[in-house]
Each structure stands twice: as structure tokens, then as C-alpha cells.
Amino acid sequence: MENLSLAPQILTAMIPPRPEKLSVPMSVEAPEIVETDHTRVVCDGGGGALGHPRVYLEMGDETSVECPYCDKRFVLKAGAGHH
């Protein structure tokens, strides 16, 4: 069997250079922020079948909590107490 290993210098030369700037600007929408009166919230991602599994989130001593699936942020309204 023929030895097909290439020297590291040849492998480096075969990798195309990475462009410095992307030609198409990329943008990411900011996650949705929902104000709530409750420290316990539920999130299903919205959109029916296009959402995610329903998760129940608890703020604890914090004033906000973020959904681990869709990054939707639930913020306790000013003046709302911890339940």
C-alpha cells in the first residue's frame, strides 16, 4: 500500500484562506422580552408546531428568567412582588 501522508506544509497550502470580512451582513434578532406579574412562567416558543417543548421557569430571587430553548426573556414588572 502506498503511503499517502502529506507533509504539514502541503496540507496548510491546500486550505483556502479565510475571508477577512463576510460579503453578506449577518444579523440576529434580539430575543423577545415579556413583562409578567408572576415569578413562575411557562414558555413553548410560540408558533404552535414551530415552537419548542413547553418548559416551566421559576425566577427565584431574581427579577427575570430566560428560556433555555428560545432565549425569550421574562421580566418581572416593576412593583410586582415575588410569589
Side-chain angles (χ1 to χ4, degrees), residues 65-79:
V65 66
E66 196 170 286
C67 176
Y69 285 98
C70 66
D71 296 330
K72 185 183 292 187
R73 186 172 194 77
F74 295 89
V75 178
L76 195 59
K77 288 182 182 177

Side-chain angles (χ1 to χ4, degrees), residues 23-56:
S23 59
V24 178
M26 296 181 66
S27 64
V28 176
E29 291 185 32
E32 182 180 356
I33 297 176
V34 178
E35 288 190 3
T36 180
D37 291 320
H38 307 283
T39 57
R40 185 175 298 145
V41 294
V42 62
C43 185
D44 63 6
L50 299 177
H52 60 67
R54 181 176 293 157
V55 291
Y56 296 87

